[in-house]
Amino acid sequence: MSLQLSEQEIVRREALDKMRALGINPYPAEKFDVNATTKEVLANFDKDKLNFQEVSIAGRMMSKRIMGKASFAEIQDSTGRMQVYIARDEICDGEDKMMYNDVFKKLVDIGDFVGLKGYVFVTQVGETSLYVNDFKVLSKSLRPLPIVKTDADGNVHDAFTDPELRYRQRYVDLIVNDGVKETFIKRNRIMNAMRKFFNDKGYLEVETPILQPIPGGAAARPFMTHHNALDIPLYLRVANELYLKRLIVGGFDGVYEFAKDFRNEGMDRTHNPEFTVMEIYVAYKDYHWMMDFTEKMLETASMAANGSTKATIGENEVEFKAPYARIPMLTAIKDHTGYDLNGKSEAEVREAALALGLEVDESMGKGKLIDEIFGEKCEHNYIQPTFITDYPVEMSPLCKKHRDDDSLTERFELFVNGKELANAYTELNDPIDQRERFEEQMKLSEKGDDEAMFIDQDFLRALEYGMPPTSGMGIGIDRLCMFLTNSPSIQDVLFFPQMRPEKFDAPIQKTLELNDNEKAIFDILKVRERIEISELKELAGLSGKGWDKGIKGLSKHGVAKVEKTEAGVFVGVIG
RNA sequence: GACCUGGUAGCUCAGCUGGUAGAGCAUCUCCCUUUUAAGGAGAGGGUCCAGGGUUCGAACCCCUGCCAGGUCACCA
């Protein structure tokens, strides 16, 4: 081990050894009984009632202010931080002042876990604090934490802000940055509220396969993997739609799943290769019903997150209170471009797209063109939650045709803050129509569309047994959390966003400037690691002088070592 | 994938037209029983992302690469 340790890391390792030398276990096994959190104490302490007189708290030491025989420190637990007062003669019995002078003052560092017992009081300056009379080391921290401070005016000093460090070392981000935990707690509250909303209606939470032989249910590029025992390719799911509908065929009235989906596509502020989607399917409903349902669900989620149906998203104030505007797609296009595409031919739609300055190509059919116009000219305008309804049939191969117009489908997407949040259908349950739609997807695939859907024969078989009229909806949980926590990047609502793997330094051959002789010898040693000296000399093929200089140089650099043993003289690499 | 910006001490950042590295906090030493981002005084700490090039001399200029962030494209 030739780890490059910083001065501060060395100091902490030395402190660890000194603790052990003093008979203090820096990593004790036994439990430490906690009977209060800092949050409870700060919220409920009343100096007239004299409550919290036998308090036991535990957490990380986050600051230390030593003033001779007494000190102030801050302890951070899962709920927050509070100040503690530690006086030498309180934590040390009799003459032995080791616990204060050595352990607390010198060997305990910022970031160490400690357990503290004592009573709560208010200092002269008016801060509720713990008067410590017992002090125990619970776990030593070997790396220095960034020290983030907030002054009386709320200004943050030395904030830990580098996004790369924050995402790669989320644990540090969570320790030192206020508000990070809150985002993830809200995420949990949002999902719990949705779950309760569904369960209260009697819908069943289910789990369906992530490893799928056919990645169906969405137009997206899948991740591929391989199962050894079956010797078949498997895909990570891009959606769970087709499996959930099979369950509706099977007789459930409502099923839902919070699912991780995987798409092998680009990454940016709103896309992570793995992401969470909630999909729900309810029998005997249509997309109008689903709009009512979605509104109420979001109202509930917003209340759970923020205690309000209003949410601030960047510059915008968004109102999640139902009902939301419902605008057919062609109306939206007419509103924002002036073109009425109702009943127009593909050629006419293409003309309109060109006139609007869009890039179009021959492979784009009418549906794709309409979608393109909407995406470019309309989408970003919908800041307040808005249902855009009735999409062209070509764009929606799993959606039932519109009851009044068979060039359209009974589909809606919900837009919030100019971005798509949810997608829903009156589900296609006509197995013959479904087979034709899949076949159209095949044609697209043959034309070169690499995300056209595969034909899922088993799914078609299931539909042939009969699926009740059903409405289904999918919502991006990460995006919803971004909105409800006002996070500008998906990375802020994922604990561990995908990053290029970090390279950890290989300790060997760093900072070393080897000359040619040294290099010739070292190249052999890298492979052999330990080798008899005369064999090494022969393999290196150097002149007598070159050999001599090379091997001495390597020893001096500390990368190789010559050892004389009973069995002969050996050269080994020093890791 | 294209373009823009950045990578300097544990953290946040300075570093001018190139002259061989600086601050605050953290760390270490000493002094001090109630201090509020910070008690006082002093000290140590750096492969300036990596590799090449230009130059008497490079953290700085040029080239290549790595990593990250942003914008766009692709994509729900």
Side-chain angles (χ1 to χ4, degrees), chain A residues 191-379:
Chain A
M191 290 173 70
N192 284 346
M194 289 172 70
R195 204 168 252 133
K196 181 169 190 304
F197 185 79
F198 304 145
N199 289 346
D200 286 352
K201 293 180 166 49
Y203 305 145
L204 185 72
E205 180 165 20
V206 299
E207 293 176 276
T208 63
I210 291 172
L211 287 173
Q212 303 180 348
I214 295 170
R221 245 165 285 175
F223 283 93
M224 201 193 270
T225 184
H226 183 265
H227 188 274
N228 290 340
L230 293 174
D231 192 24
I232 52 163
L234 285 173
Y235 301 85
L236 273 61
R237 70 176 164 207
V238 295
N240 29 355
E241 172 154 3
L242 300 185
Y243 282 94
L244 293 174
K245 284 195 215 172
R246 283 170 170 97
L247 296 179
I248 296 294
V249 170
F252 292 106
D253 272 341
V255 290
Y256 71 93
E257 181 172 13
F258 284 92
K260 269 287 180 76
D261 286 352
F262 305 83
R263 297 190 182 175
N264 204 343
E265 291 163 356
M267 291 163 58
D268 60 30
R269 223 172 52 255
T270 55
H271 296 83
N272 194 65
E274 60 179 290
F275 59 102
T276 305
V277 169
M278 194 295 302
E279 286 191 40
I280 183 164
Y281 292 80
V282 184
Y284 312 113
K285 307 298 186 191
D286 65 9
Y287 78 139
H288 293 295
W289 177 89
M290 188 58 86
M291 283 189 250
D292 298 340
F293 183 81
T294 302
E295 288 168 346
K296 291 193 194 85
M297 178 192 79
L298 288 174
E299 225 182 87
T300 306
S302 180
M303 285 302 291
N306 299 317
S308 164
T309 55
K310 288 195 176 65
T312 303
I313 307 175
E315 310 273 290
N316 300 319
E317 188 79 18
V318 171
E319 173 58 87
F320 280 101
K321 193 165 184 53
Y324 308 157
R326 302 177 183 193
I327 303 173
M329 185 176 245
L330 292 180
T331 307
I333 290 174
K334 196 169 147 197
D335 288 349
H336 290 102
T337 69
Y339 284 93
D340 185 352
L341 302 178
N342 198 8
K344 293 288 192 295
S345 69
E346 179 171 323
E348 288 168 309
V349 173
R350 187 179 305 275
E351 206 173 296
L354 283 168
L356 287 164
L358 301 183
E359 283 184 33
V360 298
D361 64 62
E362 285 310 304
S363 77
M364 292 164 95
K366 183 175 162 185
K368 180 83 183 159
L369 288 164
I370 290 174
D371 191 59
E372 197 70 14
I373 294 170
F374 178 78
E376 282 300 313
K377 298 295 172 189
C378 310
E379 190 174 311

Side-chain angles (χ1 to χ4, degrees), chain A residues 489-503:
Chain A
S489 166
I490 197 169
Q491 297 173 113
D492 294 322
V493 298
L494 300 173
F495 274 125
F496 303 105
Q498 195 57 244
M499 301 279 263
R500 195 174 287 276
E502 196 174 354
K503 289 194 187 94

Side-chain angles (χ1 to χ4, degrees), chain A residues 85-102:
Chain A
Y85 174 81
I86 299 186
R88 186 189 67 187
D89 298 335
E90 283 296 323
I91 63 166
C92 299
D93 292 332
E95 290 307 302
D96 182 5
K97 305 301 182 195
M98 178 265 276
M99 207 55 198
Y100 181 79
N101 287 340
D102 299 303

Side-chain angles (χ1 to χ4, degrees), chain A residues 55-108:
Chain A
V55 169
S56 177
I57 61 172
R60 279 184 199 273
M61 185 87 80
M62 294 305 281
S63 76
K64 244 183 2 175
R65 296 186 292 277
I66 295 170
M67 349 269 301
K69 298 187 195 70
S71 305
F72 287 95
E74 276 181 301
I75 186 106
Q76 175 169 303
D77 65 10
S78 66
T79 63
R81 267 189 207 198
M82 76 175 288
Q83 177 169 275
V84 300
Y85 174 81
I86 299 186
R88 186 189 67 187
D89 298 335
E90 283 296 323
I91 63 166
C92 299
D93 292 332
E95 290 307 302
D96 182 5
K97 305 301 182 195
M98 178 265 276
M99 207 55 198
Y100 181 79
N101 287 340
D102 299 303
V103 181
F104 173 73
K105 274 171 73 176
K106 293 186 181 160
L107 304 181
V108 171

